[in-house]
Amino acid sequence: MQNKNLPPENKNSKLTRRDFIAAASTAFIVPTIVPNSVFGANAPSNRVNIAQIGCGNQSRADLPGMLRLADAQVVAVCDVNKASGGYARKEHFLGRDPAQKKVNEYYAQKTRSGKYKGCDAYSDFRDVLAREDIDAVMITLPDHWHALATVKACEAGKDVYCQKPMSLTVHDGQQMIKAVRKHNRILQTGSQYRSNKVVRRMCELVRNGRIGEVKRVVSIINSSGAGPGPGWQEMPVPAGFDYNMWLGPAPLAPYHSDRCFYRFRFHLDYSGGQVTNTGAHSTDIIQWALDMDGTGPVEFENQPGVVWPPKGHLYTTAMKTDFRARYANGIEFICRTQEPGFGARIEGTDGWVQFSVNNMREVEASSDAIKNTVIAADEIHLPVSENHYQNFIDSVKSRKEPIEPVEVGHSTASICHLGNIAMRLKRKLKWDPEKEQFIGDDEANRMLQRPYREPWKI
């Protein structure tokens, strides 16, 4: 379905990504119900049929979040792991079988018979995409799979909820944008703090000048360990786990439990460490507050506080992060490790505001006058989403953009990727956010893309 609220494709158009996002933000506001023909060919009602692709750690939030929605129906789950431990906590036993059981038990409670067997389980996501009755997919896979799964889902006519960080590389994000727009799909980036009222309040305070002219922003992230040390040994692949499929487009590597499941995020082949983990959230909040969606800083530079795992350890991402960036308007962006948890701080000429995961109840501010100020009806008010999953379903039904569309997820993820590149190269890098290229640095530009292992390709 063509979204008439969005700019048309035109190779001669001067529209920038930020123009597109501005138009999309106005399209977000009023969802309407469309005919059932918009959904899968076999959809019996106005309910959206959903498949969960990836039944690991994040599915513990995403799957229940979708199950609770009255106008969505989870009809399939998919994971290369049948069932095992080894996730974020020892008590977590996850995979496609536990996910299927959770779905069937949830819906069984809503039937008179107390029985339900309507959720299917798959090991290959391509089998899910082949089903005509599935309208949308939730991609909760390791980062190195996000682009491939998203592009193939769009080609199959599915809408996509893709977990943050949206991509593994800048190039992957670009391919995701192309696929979403070419096939007229909805994509919601799983940066759920855009649907948090405290975050929205903080961003509105900044947008309406309550802290004066913004001078500096700080993306606060967690630290991580080094993983198994020198001499770590290859482990046998667990029964029921398709490790080759898990690797997918990533390079071949010996199996170790700390390479997969939750801890994939500490390997550069699959993710970007805490920079793209908690940093994807805090950076996204900053982008929203500064009205920088669709663009980003023009300069990146590593700082002395970076700590990498010692040689020979399994993990390859920074244990402690410290990089600096600068926007074209002069605002300084700092991303650094700071305990006890992630947050976003914005400093201006008249004070500061901060969101902290350890204080989800209210905005922290340099004064009560800032914290308690009333934002008038004629001032800037950001789009309201109280539930990130419901916002996605509303967009699927209305064909209007969600609160974090693909271009927004891409610009946030790109900042994280560029910061990682600056830390790895240990030098200052100049960036063109329109061309999405480093200026005068071929080595850095080669790091914007990763080769895919055969036979995988976009």
Side-chain angles (χ1 to χ4, degrees):
M1 176 178 290
Q2 179 67 39
N3 190 338
K4 297 179 180 179
N5 294 285
L6 303 182
E9 291 186 8
N10 185 339
K11 63 182 179 181
N12 297 316
S13 173
K14 297 298 183 181
L15 285 168
T16 66
R17 181 176 292 112
R18 280 172 60 76
D19 293 329
F20 188 96
I21 292 169
S25 68
T26 63
F28 158 80
I29 300 172
V30 186
T32 58
I33 304 301
V34 296
N36 292 338
S37 59
V38 168
F39 307 126
N42 300 317
S45 68
N46 206 33
R47 186 173 292 173
V48 179
N49 285 343
I50 299 288
Q52 174 79 49
I53 300 177
C55 302
N57 187 72
Q58 187 57 37
S59 73
R60 296 180 64 250
D62 288 352
L63 189 54
M66 194 59 68
L67 286 172
R68 286 191 285 266
L69 303 185
D71 50 354
Q73 179 86 18
V74 179
V75 298
V77 296
C78 178
D79 200 287
V80 296
N81 185 26
K82 182 177 176 65
S84 77
Y87 290 87
R89 296 182 181 178
K90 292 182 178 179
E91 65 268 25
H92 293 169
F93 188 79
L94 304 169
R96 64 178 178 270
D97 282 4
Q100 181 187 37
K101 181 181 179 183
K102 178 181 289 186
V103 174
N104 284 333
E105 288 180 347
Y106 181 88
Y107 289 134
Q109 296 174 359
K110 298 182 178 299
T111 66
R112 291 184 178 181
S113 66
K115 297 179 181 179
Y116 183 85
K117 299 290 184 181
C119 179
D120 297 317
Y122 300 88
S123 60
D124 191 322
F125 75 100
R126 291 169 294 188
D127 294 330
V128 173
L129 300 183
R131 283 182 51 168
E132 294 184 358
D133 64 322
I134 291 175
D135 307 309
V137 295
M138 297 190 65
I139 296 175
T140 314
L141 298 168
D143 306 354
H144 69 289
W145 267 108
H146 286 185
L148 267 169
T150 293
V151 170
K152 290 185 178 297
C154 291
E155 291 172 348
K158 315 301 183 189
D159 295 315
V160 177
Y161 181 108
C162 182
Q163 259 305 325
K164 64 81 200 165
M166 200 189 78
S167 62
L168 179 67
T169 67
V170 171
H171 179 264
D172 276 358
Q174 293 167 341
Q175 301 311 304
M176 295 167 80
I177 291 173
K178 289 179 182 178
V180 169
R181 297 308 167 200
K182 176 182 178 180
H183 298 284
N184 295 315
R185 294 295 94 201
I186 296 295
L187 185 142
Q188 170 87 299
T189 311
S191 295
Q192 68 268 23
Y193 289 95
R194 293 248 175 163
S195 296
N196 181 289
K197 64 181 181 181
V198 178
V199 168
R200 185 171 66 251
R201 164 74 174 171
M202 186 189 80
C203 293
E204 289 179 346
L205 291 174
V206 176
R207 293 275 195 106
N208 287 291
R210 295 305 194 270
I211 63 170
E213 182 183 357
V214 177
K215 292 296 185 181
R216 191 175 85 138
V217 296
V218 185
S219 176
I220 303 166
I221 67 174
N222 301 77
S223 62
S224 60
W232 62 268
Q233 297 293 314
E234 181 177 0
M235 300 170 68
V237 178
F241 179 51
D242 188 342
Y243 179 54
N244 185 61
M245 184 67 172
W246 185 92
L247 286 172
L252 285 174
Y255 173 78
H256 193 286
S257 60
D258 283 338
R259 184 184 298 281
C260 305
F261 307 124
Y262 177 78
R263 294 166 186 84
F264 74 86
R265 68 194 71 247
F266 305 128
H267 300 264
L268 287 171
D269 281 342
Y270 325 120
S271 187
Q274 293 292 12
V275 176
T276 55
N277 185 29
T278 56
H281 286 308
S282 53
T283 298
D284 191 66
I285 293 169
I286 287 169
Q287 285 281 99
W288 203 22
L290 298 184
D291 192 19
M292 287 292 180
D293 285 342
T295 186
V298 297
E299 179 181 282
F300 291 82
E301 183 178 16
N302 70 299
Q303 296 293 290
V306 182
V307 177
W308 294 95
K311 186 177 181 180
H313 281 66
L314 183 60
Y315 296 164
T316 56
T317 61
M319 298 166 60
K320 291 187 178 181
T321 296
D322 191 7
F323 72 85
R324 170 194 172 275
R326 180 181 59 80
Y327 290 93
N329 60 9
I331 295 175
E332 183 182 33
F333 176 103
I334 301 294
C335 182
R336 68 186 180 204
T337 298
Q338 182 174 312
E339 303 299 347
F342 83 87
R345 181 183 176 94
I346 304 175
E347 301 170 355
T349 53
D350 297 335
W352 57 263
V353 289
Q354 180 168 313
F355 170 80
S356 172
V357 73
N358 296 306
N359 182 8
M360 301 281 284
R361 299 185 306 275
E362 62 180 0
V363 177
E364 299 172 9
S366 54
S367 70
D368 288 341
I370 293 174
K371 183 165 63 175
N372 299 325
T373 185
V374 175
I375 298 174
D378 61 349
E379 292 189 280
I380 296 172
H381 290 266
L382 295 172
V384 176
S385 168
E386 301 291 351
N387 183 309
H388 215 55
Y389 308 110
Q390 186 65 65
N391 179 251
F392 171 61
I393 296 300
D394 289 345
S395 292
V396 169
K397 293 161 66 175
S398 70
R399 312 315 295 168
K400 297 181 186 296
E401 288 298 303
I403 199 164
E404 180 129 2
V406 61
E407 289 85 3
V408 176
H410 172 62
S411 58
T412 292
S414 293
I415 293 173
C416 300
H417 302 326
L418 301 176
N420 267 331
I421 291 172
M423 290 193 298
R424 291 171 67 187
L425 293 179
K426 300 179 181 179
R427 61 174 179 264
K428 183 183 291 187
L429 303 170
K430 300 291 186 179
W431 176 253
D432 185 331
E434 288 299 320
K435 294 181 179 180
E436 295 194 305
Q437 292 179 345
F438 288 110
I439 300 171
D441 198 317
D442 292 340
E443 182 182 13
N445 280 323
R446 287 193 293 270
M447 298 173 75
L448 299 175
Q449 183 177 359
R450 308 270 185 91
Y452 279 12
R453 183 170 65 104
E454 292 293 340
W456 299 104
K457 62 182 178 179
I458 296 181

